[in-house]
Amino acid sequence: MKPMIKVEDLSKQYRIGTRGDASYRTLRDALAGAVADPFRRGRRKKREAGQDLWALDGVSFEVTPGEVLGVIGHNGAGKSTLLKILTRITEPTRGRVELYGRVGSLLEVGTGFHPELSGRENVYLNGAILGMKKVEIERKFDEIVAFAEIEKFLETPVKRYSSGMYTRLAFSVAAHLDPEILLVDEVLAVGDAAFQKKCLAKMGSASREGRTVLFVSHNFEAVKSLCTRCLLLDGGHIIEDGPPEVAIEKAFAKLRAKSGSSFKLHTLRDAPGVPRPASVEVRAADKPPGELVTFEDEVVATLELDAPLMEGHTFAFQVMTTAGTTIFNSFYRDSRENPPLRPGETRRVSARIPARLLPGGVYEAVFAYMLPNAELFWLCRENWFEIRDVKSYRNEGLTVRRTGLISLILPWDAE
């Protein structure tokens, strides 16, 4: 069967620590450069000694008609670079890409929307940007609006839309293209759970109609349910190409290995003197670091700051699934039994997760540093930990994995 997507030895190199191509400079850049040039000469050699980064290196694969290919991997693995090359946003350093058929891409939901135009006008504008003809937009207009669930606000400027309304309409326009090849990047991060389910069903119907789908996502559950095959990228290389379950398990193993060794800081508000996270540790409360955490263990997550807590500031804690679903969140002020925070002294806080709460799986612990009114300074993310639901009396006779976001041992009555 002739493939719809054929990628051969695809590689993309970036130069770190150097300025961009001079051919893209404006007159203003040239004038500013001429003024600053005497001061730059002393630093030029150091700048030119930048490092090469291969975002992709020797990637090859094929996708056949009707196949849904998932692409997973941690941040920086090369997923976005791959999509940018496939959509001709970026040119490869070497290698070849062949696409057979009309391509529709959902890379950044909402690109092309104008805030001053109404929802109706933006449907036509965005549809034209995505390659739809006017007659095609008119034919699908009612279906697009119904899918987005914004009928009452169709004549309202989109600048007055909520973020959920905005993203629903943007996805709906893009999803109602009729491409032979659909390239999708993390669109299930938009909207509420019900709308995400509709998005997933829409992509599933595209596959059943014989279209080829390439789906990039951190949502492992969506990849598992939607995709027939999965690529796991790491460091610009394909390290697994096979059934989604196998690729996801390897991705889990990499998350487990990474747990406790690093974190990612998301700064939401800069302010002078605000401390930053120095380290995060998640482990079983009564076991040494690094030992297996089971369903029977209390879990303790500890955040250490690089400077003392500031006056009037506090903390929040959240546990999420790998799909990005929040299981619960907790604020330090929730309980009056918590010891008082000491501005200028407190550097370490710990949150305790009760035993017998989280079923077996991989989870993300998120710490937030904030004001009491929920205004956030930063989020400390990608603190992954695993809980093993080891064999025990409660699992005897079960032939399927327990489901649910939490797994409580409940008291029952029988008469």
Side-chain angles (χ1 to χ4, degrees), residues 25-100:
R25 297 174 69 195
T26 65
L27 176 60
R28 183 183 63 183
D29 294 333
L31 291 173
V35 173
D37 193 66
F39 303 97
R40 290 177 179 157
R41 287 172 184 164
R43 302 191 301 267
R44 185 168 294 157
K45 286 187 178 180
K46 184 175 181 180
R47 188 180 66 235
E48 289 174 352
Q51 298 179 343
D52 292 334
L53 171 66
W54 288 93
L56 293 175
D57 191 3
V59 170
S60 299
F61 63 90
E62 294 183 356
V63 191
T64 57
E67 188 173 15
V68 182
L69 177 68
V71 181
I72 61 175
H74 62 78
N75 293 329
K79 306 185 302 297
S80 295
T81 300
L82 174 61
L83 279 181
K84 287 178 181 179
I85 293 175
L86 292 177
T87 52
R88 299 173 185 170
I89 296 173
T90 300
E91 289 190 2
T93 303
R94 66 167 184 261
R96 181 179 178 85
V97 174
E98 297 178 9
L99 302 173
Y100 299 94

Side-chain angles (χ1 to χ4, degrees), residues 68-349:
V68 182
L69 177 68
V71 181
I72 61 175
H74 62 78
N75 293 329
K79 306 185 302 297
S80 295
T81 300
L82 174 61
L83 279 181
K84 287 178 181 179
I85 293 175
L86 292 177
T87 52
R88 299 173 185 170
I89 296 173
T90 300
E91 289 190 2
T93 303
R94 66 167 184 261
R96 181 179 178 85
V97 174
E98 297 178 9
L99 302 173
Y100 299 94
R102 180 182 177 185
V103 178
S105 59
L106 297 106
L107 304 190
E108 293 187 18
V109 175
T111 300
F113 268 35
H114 194 294
E116 299 295 336
L117 299 181
S118 68
R120 179 186 300 275
E121 292 165 330
N122 270 295
V123 169
Y124 282 92
L125 174 63
N126 202 252
I129 290 173
L130 293 172
M132 300 174 73
K133 296 180 180 179
K134 184 179 179 181
V135 64
E136 186 179 5
I137 299 172
E138 290 176 342
R139 177 166 52 86
K140 296 186 177 182
F141 185 86
D142 291 341
E143 187 179 351
I144 290 170
V145 173
F147 189 92
E149 302 171 1
I150 54 109
E151 294 93 337
K152 294 181 180 179
F153 308 96
L154 197 54
E155 309 304 333
T156 303
V158 298
K159 67 180 181 182
R160 296 195 176 95
Y161 283 15
S162 67
S163 58
M165 292 166 60
Y166 185 95
T167 50
R168 288 202 306 271
L169 181 59
F171 178 87
S172 184
V173 174
H176 285 82
L177 288 166
D178 285 327
E180 286 84 16
I181 300 171
L182 185 61
L183 306 176
V184 184
D185 184 12
E186 209 60 83
V187 295
L188 294 184
V190 306
D192 55 23
F195 187 73
Q196 290 176 19
K197 189 174 181 180
K198 283 176 65 174
C199 295
L200 194 64
K202 184 67 178 176
M203 288 188 286
S205 66
S207 171
R208 289 190 294 273
E209 292 167 4
R211 303 177 199 171
T212 298
V213 180
L214 193 147
F215 179 43
V216 173
S217 181
H218 288 96
N219 187 331
F220 291 165
E221 293 302 319
V223 169
K224 191 183 296 185
S225 63
L226 181 67
C227 300
T228 54
R229 179 175 145 225
C230 189
L231 302 181
L232 173 59
L233 293 181
D234 183 52
H237 301 275
I238 296 176
I239 62 173
E240 180 62 40
D241 181 356
E245 294 78 9
V246 176
I248 289 170
E249 179 53 38
K250 282 197 174 182
F252 275 157
K254 295 189 73 64
L255 289 177
R256 290 193 291 266
K258 184 180 178 182
S259 177
S261 63
S262 62
F263 57 80
K264 188 168 184 178
L265 181 65
H266 292 260
T267 301
L268 303 174
R269 178 188 174 207
D270 285 321
V274 170
R276 297 287 189 264
S279 66
V280 176
E281 181 184 63
V282 185
R283 63 181 178 86
D286 299 323
K287 294 179 181 178
E291 282 206 14
L292 182 69
V293 182
T294 73
F295 177 76
E296 304 291 337
D297 292 322
E298 180 186 32
V299 179
V300 58
T302 302
L303 168 71
E304 184 168 358
L305 302 175
D306 64 0
L309 176 83
M310 295 181 66
E311 180 72 37
H313 293 177
T314 185
F315 301 91
F317 177 71
Q318 187 175 30
V319 172
M320 304 175 70
T321 68
T322 56
T325 301
T326 298
I327 300 175
F328 64 84
N329 54 52
S330 173
F331 295 88
Y332 194 93
R333 61 181 180 175
D334 285 346
S335 174
R336 300 188 182 207
E337 296 180 2
N338 291 334
L341 295 172
R342 301 183 306 278
E345 297 182 34
T346 299
R347 285 176 175 261
R348 181 192 296 256
V349 291

Side-chain angles (χ1 to χ4, degrees), residues 15-31:
R15 187 73 168 165
I16 306 300
T18 61
R19 295 180 65 84
D21 192 332
S23 63
Y24 292 96
R25 297 174 69 195
T26 65
L27 176 60
R28 183 183 63 183
D29 294 333
L31 291 173

